């Protein structure tokens, strides 16, 4: 039987749990759970926590292990460290005006380094999701990190991340050997908006011309008939000899408007015009003719710049 001293010792002991029975965090907050504050209101006292990285109450998108001290449902604080080693504290008290609990806001207790002590970039550990990283200047082999702009490129990449508060982040990723550059953002909803690649003037001005596939009965005139897709523009050039009212060629590209395109092309051999129909499939057809001398027509000049966002509409095959 226990002695009186032992009985008094246990009666006066701490009976409220700080951790779970196995020594792990007493409470877990998942990404879709109510706010941290709502949990604390129901659990005054001292407790340990694990909070999922996607929970909107966290200061950064990185999971946190934390300790809370909360008294009488009126005042308390939570202090925790996330996966990047940063320590934060947040305080709560009661707004006496409307009797509502309020957070003071997260405050980082440690200075976060943007660079290594020697001024060099910081290496991102293998397997790290770069969307969870705090502000800083990093570098990594492309296949060693998660959520990179490319998934199969093991080249060296420089990664620049700036946080702006309220979950917002800006990411700039550049490939070291060729200066290719991507950027992305996370807005206040915590959702990553995806990568967009920056196209330089050198890349935009370097157009790759390809041959238009000509149908039987069509041939090249004075110049090769070629096409290029340049941003949201379709470029055509060359001199085409072809019969009208039949398919005369094919442009093998995607992204053409659902209703196709209609362009006016000048004729060679005399003064005049015909219509060029470009179908969604890329097929080409010349239709109609208005010229000074129909029998003198020797071909059609295909030199044009065509916006691919002209909208939809039915063909007008008259001329």
């Amino acid at each position: 039987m226990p002695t009186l001293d032992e009985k008094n010792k246990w009666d006066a002991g701490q009976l409220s749990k700080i951790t779970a029975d196995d020594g792990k965090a007493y409470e877990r907050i998942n990404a879709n759970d109510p706010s941290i504050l709502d949990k604390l209101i129901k659990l005054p006292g001292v407790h340990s926590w694990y909070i999922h990285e996607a929970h909107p109450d966290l200061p950064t998108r990185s999971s946190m292990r934390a300790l809370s001290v909360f008294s009488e449902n009126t005042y308390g604080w939570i202090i925790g460290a996330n996966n990047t080693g940063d320590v934060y504290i947040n305080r709560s008290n009661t707004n006496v005006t409307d009797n509502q609990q309020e957070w003071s806001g997260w405050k980082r207790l440690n200075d976060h380094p943007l660079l290594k002590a020697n001024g060099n970039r910081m290496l991102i550990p293998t397997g790290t999701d770069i969307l969870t990283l705090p502000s800083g200047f990093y570098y990594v082999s492309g296949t060693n990190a998660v959520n990179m702009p490319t998934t199969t490129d093991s080249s060296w990449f420089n990664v620049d991340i700036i946080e702006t508060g309220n979950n917002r982040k800006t990411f700039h990723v550049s490939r070291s050997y060729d200066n290719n550059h991507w950027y992305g953002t996370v807005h206040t909803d915590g959702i990553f908006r995806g990568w967009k690649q920056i196209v330089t003037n050198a890349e935009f001005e370097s157009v790759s011309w390809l041959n238009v596939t000509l149908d039987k009965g069509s041939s090249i005139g004075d110049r090769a008939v070629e096409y290029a897709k340049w941003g949201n523009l379709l470029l055509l050039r060359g001199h085409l000899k072809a019969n009208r009212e039949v398919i005369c060629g094919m442009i093998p590209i995607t992204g053409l408007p659902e209703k196709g395109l209609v362009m006016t092309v000048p004729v060679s051999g005399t003064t005049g015009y015909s219509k060029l129909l470009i179908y969604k499939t890329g097929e080409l057809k010349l239709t109609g003719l208005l010229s000074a001398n129909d029998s003198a027509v020797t071909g059609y000049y295909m030199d044009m710049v065509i916006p691919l966002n002209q909208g939809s509409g039915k063909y007008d095959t008259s001329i």
Side-chain angles (χ1 to χ4, degrees), residues 16-315:
S16 177
K17 292 183 179 180
I18 296 176
T19 69
D21 290 339
D22 59 3
K24 296 179 181 178
Y26 174 75
E27 188 78 12
R28 176 188 175 97
I29 297 180
N30 296 311
N32 57 352
D33 281 348
S35 73
I36 298 170
L37 179 56
D38 290 343
K39 285 269 189 178
L40 290 175
I41 291 173
K42 300 173 183 177
L43 290 171
V46 180
H47 299 292
S48 53
W49 303 80
Y50 167 81
I51 308 168
H52 190 274
E53 63 178 15
H55 197 284
D57 281 354
L58 290 181
T60 63
R61 190 178 174 86
S62 181
S63 61
M64 179 180 285
R65 280 76 178 171
L67 181 71
S68 66
V69 178
F70 214 80
S71 59
E72 301 301 330
N73 298 349
T74 60
Y75 179 82
W77 50 259
I78 181 170
I79 185 171
N82 61 19
N83 283 345
T84 60
D86 293 312
V87 181
Y88 293 85
I89 189 170
N90 204 339
R91 181 178 57 84
S92 176
N93 57 18
T94 300
N95 182 324
V96 295
T97 302
D98 52 13
N99 198 33
Q100 294 293 315
Q101 298 291 131
E102 292 184 344
W103 286 108
S104 64
W106 289 104
K107 179 180 179 181
R108 189 165 59 199
L109 301 183
N110 61 311
D111 291 332
H112 177 71
L114 297 178
L115 296 166
K116 292 174 64 176
N118 61 1
N120 291 346
R121 289 179 174 272
M122 299 175 287
L123 177 64
I124 297 175
T126 298
T128 300
D129 182 348
I130 67 171
L131 301 184
T132 67
L133 291 171
S135 295
F137 299 93
Y138 306 89
Y139 72 100
V140 70
S141 175
T143 53
N144 286 350
V146 178
N147 275 323
M148 290 289 287
T150 64
T151 59
T152 59
D153 191 340
S154 61
S155 306
W156 287 108
F157 289 81
N158 296 323
V159 181
D160 301 344
I161 303 173
I162 298 296
E163 297 179 82
T164 57
N166 296 326
N167 291 324
R168 297 196 305 275
K169 281 186 179 182
T170 301
F171 301 84
H172 286 271
V173 177
S174 57
R175 190 162 54 201
S176 182
Y177 80 86
D178 64 358
N179 293 333
N180 274 336
H181 188 171
W182 295 260
Y183 74 95
T185 59
V186 172
H187 194 47
T188 52
D189 54 10
I191 297 175
F192 182 57
R193 294 301 194 263
W195 293 109
K196 296 184 182 298
Q197 186 170 3
I198 297 175
V199 179
T200 66
N201 64 320
E203 293 168 312
F204 194 65
E205 293 168 2
S206 179
V207 179
S208 297
W209 290 94
L210 302 171
N211 291 327
V212 172
T213 303
L214 298 182
D215 197 67
K216 295 178 181 179
S218 303
S219 61
I220 295 172
D222 298 334
R223 293 178 287 119
V225 183
E226 299 174 314
Y227 74 94
K229 191 174 181 183
W230 194 45
N232 199 37
L233 299 175
L234 172 62
L235 311 183
L236 288 175
R237 69 182 183 186
H239 184 219
L240 174 66
K241 293 182 177 181
N243 296 319
R244 295 187 303 276
E245 312 305 337
V246 295
I247 299 300
C248 58
M250 165 73 75
I251 304 174
I253 65 171
T254 59
L256 292 171
E258 183 70 25
K259 299 296 184 180
L261 298 159
V262 182
M263 305 301 295
T264 301
V265 295
V267 300
S268 61
T270 185
T271 302
Y273 295 90
S274 180
K275 276 187 178 179
L276 174 67
L277 306 184
I278 305 175
Y279 294 92
K280 178 188 177 182
T281 57
E283 293 177 310
L284 307 177
K285 183 169 77 171
L286 292 161
T287 181
L289 178 64
L290 179 62
S291 71
N293 184 353
D294 292 358
S295 61
V297 173
T298 59
Y300 305 86
Y301 292 115
M302 309 294 284
D303 304 308
M304 62 191 73
V305 178
I306 309 170
L308 294 178
N309 57 349
Q310 294 183 4
S312 60
K314 295 183 178 180
Y315 293 121

